[in-house]
């Protein structure tokens, strides 16, 4: 409640003391609005209007040139989460990721290895010295390869059919195709569960985090 009041006060101040030249513009509220994925409340304010329509699989590539394109972005007045609203159905997003092929990603793979190695060393003090590691959204398996070289038994799950195939056949790391719900039950019992640049792609991040926790010992 306090945060919502702060947000409303901020909106009032911006409107009352904003640029005098500003011209009031009616905001068209699209249909099929999405409640906040975090607190499930329907109250929000538009932060950025839709810049352009998002379509095609290119938008979902790691090396996409379309990152400046986005849908309508709002901020929840209850918990302050910023998210796209309305959100496309989860099956639509999954379908796009499933068909992604990003050959450009591989052109900088040596730099990506260095980045993951650096990041791994930063968090290693919080991890057990050995054990089973699951990487959710593992893409081409670069992080899995780094973790494997450091002595961990690794498994990945990745929706892109192209990326998971590359991880298995070229990087030599076990990778299943799909989402975390598609992991075989017998694989459960990991010591570590990681995700890199993944959380923001889920329409229900709380469910995702809970599912990740259920995969641990």
């Amino acid at each position: 409640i306090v945060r919502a009041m702060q947000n409303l006060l901020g909106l009032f101040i911006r409107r009352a003391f904003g640029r005098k030249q500003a011209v009031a513009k009616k905001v068209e509220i699209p249909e099929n609005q999405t409640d906040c994925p975090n607190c499930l409340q329907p109250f929000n304010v538009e932060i950025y209007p839709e810049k352009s329509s998002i379509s095609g699989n290119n938008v979902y590539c790691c090396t996409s040139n379309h990152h400046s394109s986005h849908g309508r972005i709002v901020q929840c007045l209850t918990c302050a989460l910023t998210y796209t609203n309305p959100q496309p159905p989860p099956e639509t997003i999954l379908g796009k990721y499933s068909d992604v092929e990003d050959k450009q990603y591989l052109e900088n793979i040596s730099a990506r290895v260095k980045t993951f190695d650096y990041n791994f060393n930063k968090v290693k003090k919080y991890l057990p010295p050995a054990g089973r590691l699951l990487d959710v959204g593992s893409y081409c398996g670069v992080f899995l390869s780094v973790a494997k070289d450091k002595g961990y038994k690794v498994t990945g799950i990745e929706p892109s059919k192209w990326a998971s195939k590359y991880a298995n056949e070229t990087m030599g790391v076990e990778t299943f195709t799909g989402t975390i719900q598609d992991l075989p039950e017998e694989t459960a019992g990991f010591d570590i569960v990681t995700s890199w640049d993944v959380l923001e792609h889920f329409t229900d991040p709380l469910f995702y985090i809970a599912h990740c926790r259920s995969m641990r010992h």
Side-chain angles (χ1 to χ4, degrees):
I1 294 175
V2 172
R3 182 165 292 180
M5 293 177 65
Q6 290 174 339
N7 287 330
L8 288 172
L9 179 60
L11 289 171
F12 171 78
I13 293 173
R14 287 198 294 272
R15 173 164 294 188
F17 301 99
R19 293 178 301 174
K20 294 181 180 179
Q21 297 84 358
V23 178
K25 182 175 69 172
K26 181 179 179 181
V27 176
E28 297 293 335
I29 306 299
E31 298 179 357
N32 303 320
Q33 285 290 285
T34 307
D35 290 342
C36 175
N38 180 48
C39 66
L40 306 180
Q41 295 299 312
F43 312 109
N44 59 72
V45 60
E46 182 177 282
I47 303 298
Y48 300 107
E50 181 179 2
K51 192 163 184 180
S52 64
S53 58
I54 300 176
S55 61
N57 298 332
N58 297 0
V59 179
Y60 293 84
C61 294
C62 284
T63 48
S64 172
N65 295 321
H66 303 277
H67 290 317
S68 59
S69 301
H70 57 75
R72 180 173 177 267
I73 298 176
V74 304
Q75 185 176 56
C76 177
L77 290 172
T78 303
C79 71
L81 179 72
T82 302
Y83 62 101
T84 303
N85 195 350
Q87 294 189 355
E91 57 271 17
T92 299
I93 298 176
L94 181 59
K96 298 292 185 183
Y97 278 116
S98 178
D99 294 332
V100 161
E101 293 190 18
D102 188 5
K103 306 290 177 61
Q104 194 176 351
Y105 178 90
L106 303 178
E107 296 176 5
N108 301 312
I109 199 164
S110 59
R112 299 181 189 281
V113 170
K114 292 180 181 179
T115 299
F116 276 124
D117 185 71
Y118 172 83
N119 289 331
F120 191 97
N121 289 333
K122 283 289 186 180
V123 301
K124 190 174 182 180
K125 62 183 178 181
Y126 303 107
L127 308 178
R132 300 180 65 223
L133 182 148
L134 170 67
D135 190 34
V136 183
S138 51
Y139 211 48
C140 292
V142 178
F143 175 73
L144 289 174
S145 178
V146 169
K148 181 179 179 181
D149 289 343
K150 294 182 182 294
Y152 293 87
K153 184 178 180 181
V154 299
T155 300
I157 181 72
E158 166 57 43
S160 168
K161 292 175 284 189
W162 167 81
S164 58
K165 181 179 180 181
Y166 183 91
N168 278 299
E169 297 182 357
T170 304
M171 301 299 286
V173 288
E174 181 184 52
T175 304
F176 294 91
T177 304
T179 67
I180 191 171
Q181 295 98 310
D182 298 317
L183 274 172
E185 291 185 8
E186 60 270 20
T187 63
F190 293 95
D191 302 291
I192 306 165
V193 180
T194 62
S195 275
W196 300 91
D197 302 315
V198 171
L199 184 62
E200 64 270 26
H201 300 282
F202 284 91
T203 55
D204 190 347
L206 294 180
F207 173 80
Y208 163 69
I209 292 173
H211 205 127
C212 284
R213 185 176 179 82
S214 72
M215 300 302 294
R216 297 183 66 240
H217 281 300

